[in-house]
Amino acid sequence: MKKICLFLMFLITLSACDEGGILITVPSVGNYEFTINSDEANGSTNNSYTAERLVDPSALFTEDSELIKNITLNQLTYEISDYFGTAGNDVLMSLSLSTELNGTTTEVLSVTGITLANGLFTAFESGNASSQLSAAQVASLEAIINNQEPFNLIVTAGFDKDIESDFTVEVVWDITASISQNTN
């Protein structure tokens, strides 16, 4: 029995290693805030507003990017805050989240018909079957973060009628990196 336990411990240790050493997991969170300007949204021909932020994935971890073997998305949320609308004057919103790298834009989230209201919304949570993101959208976002090159994160909000105030959309992703640690 003792030999079997030692052998199992050896296998577990071996499975945690790769060519460069032991793989460790390091969590990180990226927060990106976008202000939706009501004057610009209401003044546009289709009642929409687009904002973008430059995201540098290498800033999410202190480890050397060459040691990062894989990045996994655990959760993606968006929070709407600071909206002040008249009760009974509901506004329907569509929200799109896209990435843009080297001239290629990829939509990773698209939700429509949501009532514009302050609150926290979970778009993706690992293991939750009722995700707003498809497996392909999750894989696309993981791939662009794994690329470790700066990219644009783009939020587009559209409305069925004029909105009554500016508000903020904060996009937050919780990710985990598998990082190779040298054993030398």
Side-chain angles (χ1 to χ4, degrees):
M1 184 69 166
K2 194 174 191 180
K3 289 181 182 180
I4 292 174
C5 288
L6 287 173
F7 181 69
L8 288 174
M9 287 177 40
F10 171 74
L11 287 177
I12 291 170
T13 303
L14 186 61
S15 70
C17 296
D18 76 344
E19 297 167 0
I22 295 176
L23 282 178
I24 61 168
T25 56
V26 178
S28 184
V29 175
N31 299 52
Y32 309 97
E33 196 170 282
F34 302 86
T35 299
I36 307 300
N37 183 295
S38 59
D39 290 336
E40 290 185 35
N42 296 339
S44 71
T45 57
N46 56 357
N47 270 28
S48 68
Y49 184 80
T50 299
E52 63 184 69
R53 296 280 176 271
L54 185 64
V55 174
D56 184 358
S58 66
L60 295 170
F61 299 97
T62 57
E63 289 76 11
D64 186 347
S65 64
E66 292 178 8
L67 298 177
I68 296 175
K69 300 297 181 187
N70 184 44
I71 293 178
T72 303
L73 179 66
N74 303 313
Q75 186 177 54
L76 175 70
T77 61
Y78 57 96
E79 183 171 14
I80 297 171
S81 58
D82 303 323
Y83 181 69
F84 302 100
T86 306
N89 186 26
D90 291 345
V91 175
L92 292 181
M93 177 176 74
S94 60
L95 185 70
S96 168
L97 179 66
S98 303
T99 59
E100 187 271 324
L101 177 65
N102 299 328
T104 301
T105 302
T106 305
E107 185 175 72
V108 292
L109 172 67
S110 178
V111 290
T112 59
I114 55 176
T115 300
L116 177 57
N118 295 321
L120 178 65
F121 305 90
T122 301
F124 171 78
E125 187 167 32
S126 183
N128 185 343
S130 64
S131 174
Q132 294 175 336
L133 273 66
S134 69
Q137 290 168 317
V138 171
S140 174
L141 187 55
E142 288 174 339
I144 199 165
I145 297 170
N146 260 320
N147 195 29
Q148 294 292 306
E149 288 184 43
F151 63 91
N152 288 317
L153 185 62
I154 305 163
V155 167
T156 301
F159 311 97
D160 69 337
K161 58 185 169 185
D162 286 354
I163 57 176
E164 296 182 63
S165 74
D166 296 353
F167 64 94
T168 301
V169 175
E170 182 180 22
V171 176
V172 178
W173 55 57
D174 174 325
I175 56 177
T176 301
S178 296
I179 299 173
S180 178
Q181 295 291 313
N182 288 330
T183 55
N184 299 337

